[in-house]
Amino acid sequence: MAALLTISPFLAFLLFLLAILSSDSYNFTAHTQFSIREATIDDLQLAFQHNKLTSRQLVEFYLREIRRLNPILKGVLEVNPDALFHADKADQERKAKGAATALFSRSKLHGIPILVKDNIATKDKMNTTAGSFALLGSVVRRDAGVVRKLRKAGAIILGKATLSEWSYFRSDQAPAGWSARGGQGVNPYNLSVTPCSSSSGSAISVAANMVAVTLGTETDGSILCPSSWNSVVGIKPTVSLTSRAGVVPISPRQDTVGPICRTVADAVHVLDVIVGIDNNDNATIETSKYIPKAGYAQFLKRDGLKGKRIGIVRNPFFDFGNNTFLNQTFKQHFKTLRQEGAILVDHLEITNIEEILGNSSGEHTALVAEFKIFLNSYLKELVASPVRSLAEVIAFNNKNSKLEKVKEYGQGTFLKAESTKGIGDVEKAALLNLEKLAKNGFEKVMRKNKLDALVAAGGLATPYPLLPQVLATGGFPGIIVPAGYIDSVPFGVCFGGLRGSEPKLIEISYAFEQATKIRKSPSFKD
Ligand SMILES: *[C@@H]1O[C@H](CO)[C@@H](O)[C@H](O)[C@H]1NC(C)=O
Ligand SMILES: *[C@@H]1O[C@H](CO)[C@@H](O)[C@H](O)[C@H]1NC(C)=O
Ligand SMILES: *[C@@H]1O[C@H](CO)[C@@H](O)[C@H](O)[C@H]1NC(C)=O
Ligand SMILES: *[C@@H]1O[C@H](CO)[C@@H](O)[C@H](O)[C@H]1NC(C)=O
Ligand SMILES: *[C@@H]1O[C@H](CO)[C@@H](O)[C@H](O)[C@H]1NC(C)=O
Ligand SMILES: *[C@@H]1O[C@H](CO)[C@@H](O)[C@H](O)[C@H]1NC(C)=O
Ligand SMILES: *[C@@H]1O[C@H](CO)[C@@H](O)[C@H](O)[C@H]1NC(C)=O
């Protein structure tokens, strides 16, 4: 199908239409009196409670949708062969204990299918490969910390989502959303534009209703950018608010695991389950001080924008050139934010923004050295693996260059990483510089103006997800919400804040979402 797409997007689209029309499962409403498409976690739980839906029906629906849509969209890499077994178990538990027991009032995810990015370990029949054939057949020691929390909450791991291979850390030549195992992920809103990197499969799949909710990971833009391009909500949590144990790493200094969902409320319900201490990722201990005792759902408040101070840095976050449509759209959004009670602090400046976004920030220097260290230790920890070091992954790619498209896409970032020798003077200087940039840049503007959040246009609206990069190097959290469409192509609006500011970001993004309700289902057109 990937070949078809490159030969003729039109032909692919025709096949796709055929697949939709010939589907016997299209009108699921007919069987259950309940429409699963676009249903939220709250909708699904209510349907469970009123015996209008079972987890088995829900999983069967998504499995059919995956069979129907995934040959084109390629958002799903593997399906869990035990998903129906777990669904039956969830149905039995619900029947036995009743929907009103403590378990179910505590866990919104009980019986809900979730897709996790393929760099997140699952100790089950599925592979964990970061999209690469080099890791096929590797055996993980245990579930990733976040997966353990999901299973404990009763969520059903439906499968693995595709991604940019190695979270786009092999080279910078491959198209976003491509991996050797998963093929080319496709944006369901417009089959010929990018799904963006690297948690693309998660965003594609949840946007196209192939699953209820998903997890992605972000090192620099990888949750926020695909969420923006696929018109879904992404939460990039404060670094180490969620455990990174069992996640194929780039650098624990920037890596974070977070939800990608169709609504802010869904994402917050997932966040509530995955945050917290994990003894296999000790950084979660310190960061757990930020987690509110009553969880995050309490911040889903319709009047959440009231009194919030939101900063606007026009250059570069709203630099649309002469694009009057984007200019008008965001003018309207600013108006909405004000009408909902926010105080906009306009025309701010991040004095060192060019250095933060530039080549000399030290980000790349630090990441390549850290990647080698942490990938090597991830590979050594595996129970079994065809590759045990970055050097062996590089050798694998050279030996299987056709399979891994090494001629086309290279492995330059790998080679650069392999040539590093730990954290030396150069890397230490880079790390110091990154800290200084965060402190004198984003943090300074936030504190000086007593801001609750900074706002920025995302995705298509700017040439590169600029705010995500600022957030990435400082370990700061961000939430992206759908903000509009140019023709069929979606873009989002991003709210970023200081470490631990998730409660405020949730209030802001939920109230904005409720006031605007911009998300619509994908159109599946070229
Ligand atoms: C789907 O099923 C419902 C209920 O039976 C029916 O009212 C509706 O017309 C059907 N829709 C399509 C597209 O067939
Ligand atoms: C894991 O990979 C093996 C080897 O390719 C494959 O046979 C198996 O089906 C994969 N597991 C799943 C759940 O897809
Ligand atoms: C976490 O810290 C504890 C002591 O506080 C230590 O025993 C343990 O080895 C640490 N775990 C990791 C994975 O670093
Ligand atoms: C924007 O301005 C440039 C010149 O500054 C011009 O070449 C371009 O066509 C303009 N684009 C639009 C959409 O007006
Ligand atoms: C829209 O364009 C005007 C005039 O160039 C500019 O002053 C304003 O800041 C722009 N608005 C946004 C939201 O970019
Ligand atoms: C960043 O550095 C690379 C070489 O490492 C160079 O090719 C590129 O032009 C630089 N970009 C900027 C914006 O300076
Ligand atoms: C899809 O995107 C392309 C490239 O931006 C654009 O030319 C095309 O009109 C879009 N298709 C639709 C249906 O909007």
Side-chain angles (χ1 to χ4, degrees):
M1 284 301 187
L4 272 177
L5 258 183
T6 53
I7 294 165
S8 162
F10 182 67
L11 184 56
F13 175 54
L14 276 185
L15 285 174
F16 191 72
L17 263 186
L18 261 177
I20 287 177
L21 294 174
S22 65
S23 162
D24 61 350
S25 65
Y26 190 47
N27 194 353
F28 196 74
T29 322
H31 308 294
T32 62
Q33 305 303 312
F34 170 77
S35 173
I36 294 173
R37 206 175 307 279
E38 294 293 304
T40 64
I41 290 174
D42 288 332
D43 295 337
L44 295 171
Q45 289 298 352
L46 208 63
F48 287 154
Q49 211 178 324
H50 294 160
N51 295 318
K52 284 188 181 158
L53 180 72
T54 62
S55 291
R56 169 170 271 268
Q57 285 173 322
L58 189 56
V59 167
E60 282 175 344
F61 172 84
Y62 288 134
L63 292 178
R64 277 200 296 266
E65 289 301 277
I66 290 169
R67 273 199 298 277
R68 191 166 74 86
L69 302 175
N70 202 54
I72 295 287
L73 297 180
K74 295 193 184 344
V76 181
L77 183 46
E78 284 189 7
V79 158
N80 187 351
D82 291 330
L84 283 170
F85 168 81
H86 291 302
D88 287 340
K89 213 173 119 222
D91 287 333
Q92 282 156 17
E93 281 170 7
R94 193 180 311 109
K95 236 191 211 153
K97 293 177 189 168
T101 64
L103 173 68
F104 299 113
S105 54
R106 210 171 43 236
S107 172
K108 290 259 185 185
L109 293 196
H110 188 273
I112 302 289
I114 184 167
L115 206 61
V116 305
K117 188 175 175 180
D118 186 47
N119 61 346
I120 300 174
T122 56
K123 180 86 177 160
D124 51 19
K125 288 179 185 151
M126 290 186 285
N127 302 287
T128 302
T129 67
S132 166
F133 283 104
L135 277 179
L136 193 55
S138 67
V139 179
V140 299
R141 199 163 289 278
R142 57 179 85 85
D143 275 339
V146 288
V147 169
R148 203 160 50 234
K149 286 182 194 294
L150 286 171
R151 290 201 212 268
K152 206 171 150 209
I156 298 164
I157 313 294
L158 183 68
K160 291 289 180 67
T162 58
L163 69 169
S164 299
E165 197 182 272
W166 297 102
S167 301
Y168 212 73
F169 216 70
R170 191 183 103 181
S171 83
D172 54 14
Q173 283 165 264
W178 176 86
S179 69
R181 284 196 67 219
Q184 179 60 56
V186 168
N187 190 320
Y189 285 86
N190 182 320
L191 308 183
S192 43
V193 305
T194 183
C196 198
S197 223
S198 73
S199 306
S200 36
S202 308
I204 292 165
S205 301
V206 80
N209 280 274
M210 291 195 283
V211 70
V213 291
T214 73
L215 283 191
T217 69
E218 171 149 342
T219 306
D220 189 334
S222 289
I223 287 174
L224 298 172
C225 188
S227 298
S228 185
W229 281 87
N230 293 282
S231 207
V232 284
V233 173
I235 299 184
K236 181 238 169 191
T238 302
V239 167
S240 75
L241 193 72
T242 51
S243 168
R244 287 76 48 81
V247 178
V248 181
I250 294 178
S251 158
R253 190 178 46 75
Q254 289 185 206
D255 293 351
T256 183
V257 181
I260 299 180
C261 301
R262 287 184 295 270
T263 66
V264 177
D266 280 359
V268 167
H269 292 323
V270 174
L271 184 72
D272 260 332
V273 165
I274 61 172
V275 296
I277 293 175
D278 176 5
N279 289 325
N280 294 312
D281 178 358
N282 277 349
T284 54
I285 298 170
E286 166 74 12
T287 315
S288 69
K289 71 183 177 208
Y290 293 128
I291 304 170
K293 273 208 173 60
Y296 289 103
Q298 61 179 306
F299 303 108
L300 297 168
K301 295 196 294 207
R302 183 59 189 81
D303 64 352
L305 275 163
K306 209 173 237 172
K308 292 293 186 301
R309 291 177 62 83
I310 300 176
I312 301 174
V313 175
R314 295 212 175 224
N315 182 19
F317 300 144
F318 295 95
D319 184 4
F320 306 132
N322 48 12
N323 187 323
T324 48
F325 172 73
L326 282 171
N327 184 297
Q328 286 305 310
T329 302
F330 279 94
K331 200 167 158 188
Q332 182 59 42
H333 288 333
F334 293 164
K335 197 170 149 197
T336 301
L337 291 171
R338 277 197 202 92
Q339 277 168 351
E340 297 291 320
I343 300 146
L344 300 191
V345 187
D346 203 349
H347 303 292
L348 296 176
E349 202 184 346
I350 298 179
T351 49
N352 58 7
I353 189 74
E354 272 174 31
E355 198 188 345
I356 294 174
L357 301 177
N359 253 347
S360 58
S361 70
E363 185 186 10
H364 193 66
T365 305
L367 285 182
V368 284
E370 290 166 330
F371 176 67
K372 182 180 178 182
I373 296 167
F374 293 104
L375 182 70
N376 282 343
S377 84
Y378 174 89
L379 296 174
K380 284 206 183 76
E381 256 241 354
L382 293 168
V383 175
S385 177
V387 288
R388 286 297 189 175
S389 66
L390 175 58
E392 288 182 18
V393 179
I394 291 170
F396 176 95
N397 285 345
N398 285 332
K399 215 164 129 190
N400 300 277
S401 80
K402 219 168 159 183
L403 194 62
E404 283 288 342
K405 292 204 177 185
V406 176
K407 267 217 186 78
E408 292 94 320
Y409 301 149
Q411 50 178 338
T413 313
F414 273 5
L415 295 173
K416 206 158 177 192
E418 183 55 25
S419 74
T420 62
K421 298 186 173 65
I423 306 297
D425 289 344
V426 176
E427 288 78 14
K428 276 182 196 151
L431 289 167
L432 264 178
N433 195 51
L434 286 173
E435 263 180 47
K436 195 186 80 189
L437 288 176
K439 212 180 193 106
N440 298 339
F442 184 72
E443 255 187 83
K444 195 166 152 193
V445 82
M446 290 292 294
R447 292 195 198 286
K448 203 174 134 195
N449 297 284
K450 299 190 166 54
L451 300 179
D452 296 305
L454 210 67
V455 62
L460 185 63
T462 55
Y464 186 78
L466 303 162
L467 181 57
Q469 192 171 347
V470 174
L471 302 176
T473 48
F476 303 118
I479 301 183
I480 197 145
V481 184
Y485 305 84
I486 297 182
D487 295 330
S488 59
V489 185
F491 56 89
V493 61
C494 183
F495 299 99
L498 294 173
R499 279 181 281 271
S501 68
E502 278 81 359
K504 286 174 182 171
L505 297 181
I506 289 166
E507 286 181 339
I508 291 168
S509 51
Y510 179 73
F512 176 81
E513 175 199 49
Q514 294 305 306
T516 55
K517 296 240 168 92
I518 285 163
R519 177 182 153 75
K520 55 188 182 194
S521 290
S523 53
F524 305 108
K525 285 189 184 141
D526 284 313

